[in-house]
Amino acid sequence: MTDFARRPFALLALAVLAAAGPAFSQSPLPADLSGRVLPSFVELRVQAADGRTALGTGFLAVKDGVLATAWRLVKDAKAVVARFPNGEEFECSGVVDKDEKRNVALVRIKVFGRPVLKMEPAELLPGTPVAVAAVKDGAFGLVAASAGEAAVLDGVRLVRLAGEVPDGAYGGPVVDAAGSVVGLTVVLQVEGKAEALAVPAAYVLGLDASLQTQAWGAVPAAAAAPAANLTALDEIDARLGRGFLAVAEDDICLTWANEITRGYGFQSGVPEAVYRLQQGLDAAMAAVGEIRTDSELRLRVGRALVQILANQKAASENFIRAVVVGQQAKSWDAQSQDAQKRSNSIRQGIRGQIAALKADLKTLEAESAKFREFLPFEQRYNLGLAERSGGFRLGINSYPNNPFYLLIVAAGSVAQKIGLRPGDTIVSVGGRAFGVTDDIEELKLLIKSNLGKTVPAVVERGGKTQDIKLKIPKAIPADALTTD
């Protein structure tokens, strides 16, 4: 079902449609969505250098005077004019930044004071109701659709759009029920068939809106930053290393926070560590986003990491929302459960995003000593750069830089059964000392070599150093015989 506003009386039509809400009468999307989205939506008339004229769309995003659109729409432009739903037209002067592989670009538009759409970098889950902004027969409007399955095409993650998406949506926003942009519409040939897909909003956020505008016709096919503006490779690799560590630490923290908010634990509120590590994500995102390099490897990894960091923050925000709503309702109700499920689903998606980078991360690890400084043993396992050797699950969760501090000891796990507790820091086992630079897999191998025995250990527990006895089972339980 569609909701289009005719050009001659667009503003009046928008007001009427917002009140009547015919477009979404059969969907969970709100009836007033048009009035919130369309004032920031434009039709783009692109005159190419060869004389051809193409039509597409774009939207005000990131900051004043900047449009987001599809790169392939404007890459050969000689002149571009943007038309708003009320009929006003403004010149677009050139490209600010672009990502050719992901088909997204930021364009400078000579307008000020118009509303800028909020970008929501969270993963778009299958079945999520969305609206696609489009222009059809000169009318501006929204088309109700839903997110389909994600697909990786030529190394780029895209989300299929289910619904009748018109051609006039190319380059425009895909918005959620709150009116936030969750993607940018593109149309690609997939197995010989035209298919509408959403480029994730995080790819747009990975572009730099502060760059100097390059006039039409002056944009090189692969614009390289001047050498004086390039970031030193060691600095880039350090930022990338810190960024991946920030993701890992926040993910571990959310696992722990989910544990301690079970039952009635949510009534104690959001743990302070969740907010603190979320700030770390923001800092890492800013640092990675400022990278300037002519290294294709680092550009690929950096852009992917910006999206991963944005998704990790979205997972954290959904967890926080779950706890806050639960506190207010004094019950872990459907809203809290849905927010928690969304958080966990985003986190699962991030693991897939990291797995897709495995080849690039292996190359970066091999050639960069600086990047290797940010790869403690546990982080190498997290990034798929090494295989675990212990052969079984211990049932613990620890931060990569402090693997022997047991943030979580799962109920019924091997770790719990032999006598370890949450909050323990393992100092030594069987006379073998362990520190922050050691590998937890070495502890597993030590356990396997002492099956059926009682082994002395030293732990820091409750602020004190204690001697304890670890009672090792005669055999590793079958349900633990896998990797952590």
Side-chain angles (χ1 to χ4, degrees), residues 364-375:
L364 191 58
E365 178 191 27
E367 72 177 43
S368 173
K370 178 58 69 173
F371 186 65
R372 291 195 295 273
E373 290 179 14
F374 297 89
L375 294 176

Side-chain angles (χ1 to χ4, degrees), residues 132-215:
V132 179
V135 181
K136 183 177 180 181
D137 299 328
F140 291 68
L142 298 179
V143 179
S146 63
E149 294 294 331
V152 177
L153 302 175
D154 295 326
V156 177
R157 186 178 182 276
L158 300 167
V159 178
R160 290 185 165 88
L161 293 173
E164 296 182 8
V165 180
D167 293 340
Y170 188 72
V174 179
V175 300
D176 61 14
S180 299
V181 178
V182 292
L184 183 148
T185 307
V186 296
V187 179
L188 298 178
Q189 291 291 323
V190 180
E191 297 178 352
K193 178 183 175 183
E195 190 169 351
L197 304 111
V199 180
Y203 288 154
V204 179
L205 287 171
L207 300 176
D208 188 350
S210 68
L211 294 180
Q212 193 170 25
T213 303
Q214 299 176 73

Side-chain angles (χ1 to χ4, degrees), residues 41-100:
F41 176 55
V42 298
E43 181 182 49
L44 295 177
R45 187 169 65 252
V46 181
Q47 183 181 352
D50 62 5
R52 291 179 298 108
T53 298
L55 294 177
T57 63
F59 55 98
L60 298 174
V62 185
K63 69 177 187 178
D64 236 333
V66 174
L67 279 175
T69 188
W71 164 243
R72 288 168 200 155
L73 175 65
V74 298
K75 69 184 182 74
D76 296 320
K78 184 173 72 173
V80 177
V81 175
R83 179 170 64 90
F84 284 89
N86 66 353
E88 285 187 280
E89 295 186 349
F90 294 88
E91 179 189 353
C92 297
S93 55
V95 173
V96 179
D97 196 11
K98 67 186 189 313
D99 184 340
E100 297 184 32

Side-chain angles (χ1 to χ4, degrees), residues 320-480:
I320 291 170
R321 186 178 302 121
V323 174
V324 171
V325 169
Q327 270 190 305
Q328 292 171 344
K330 298 182 179 178
S331 169
W332 198 255
D333 60 11
Q335 279 187 296
S336 290
Q337 292 172 34
D338 286 346
Q340 185 184 43
K341 287 177 183 176
R342 182 169 176 80
S343 173
N344 291 337
S345 178
I346 293 170
R347 292 168 62 200
Q348 186 63 39
I350 289 169
R351 295 182 185 106
Q353 289 177 284
I354 291 174
L357 287 172
K358 183 175 178 179
D360 279 344
L361 291 176
K362 278 187 172 292
T363 301
L364 191 58
E365 178 191 27
E367 72 177 43
S368 173
K370 178 58 69 173
F371 186 65
R372 291 195 295 273
E373 290 179 14
F374 297 89
L375 294 176
F377 286 107
E378 205 60 27
Q379 183 68 340
R380 296 189 74 238
Y381 302 135
N382 291 336
L383 298 180
L385 300 176
E387 298 292 331
R388 294 185 182 274
S389 58
F392 70 96
R393 274 199 315 270
L394 194 53
I396 64 169
N397 290 89
S398 302
Y399 290 121
N401 280 321
N402 196 3
F404 290 90
Y405 170 67
L406 311 185
L407 190 63
I408 296 173
V409 175
S413 65
V414 172
Q416 184 192 53
K417 289 175 179 177
I418 66 175
L420 295 170
R421 300 179 187 174
D424 283 352
T425 297
I426 299 172
V427 178
S428 68
V429 175
R432 164 70 162 90
F434 291 103
V436 295
T437 60
D438 290 313
D439 185 359
I440 200 73
E441 299 304 299
E442 295 176 15
L443 173 61
K444 294 181 185 179
L445 294 173
L446 191 153
I447 290 171
K448 287 174 71 174
S449 67
N450 286 279
L451 293 176
K453 299 179 182 177
T454 298
V455 180
V458 178
V459 298
E460 292 179 2
R461 178 178 292 173
K464 298 179 180 178
T465 301
Q466 296 186 25
D467 293 321
I468 63 172
K469 301 290 185 182
L470 300 183
K471 297 181 180 179
I472 313 298
K474 292 182 180 179
I476 301 298
D479 60 0

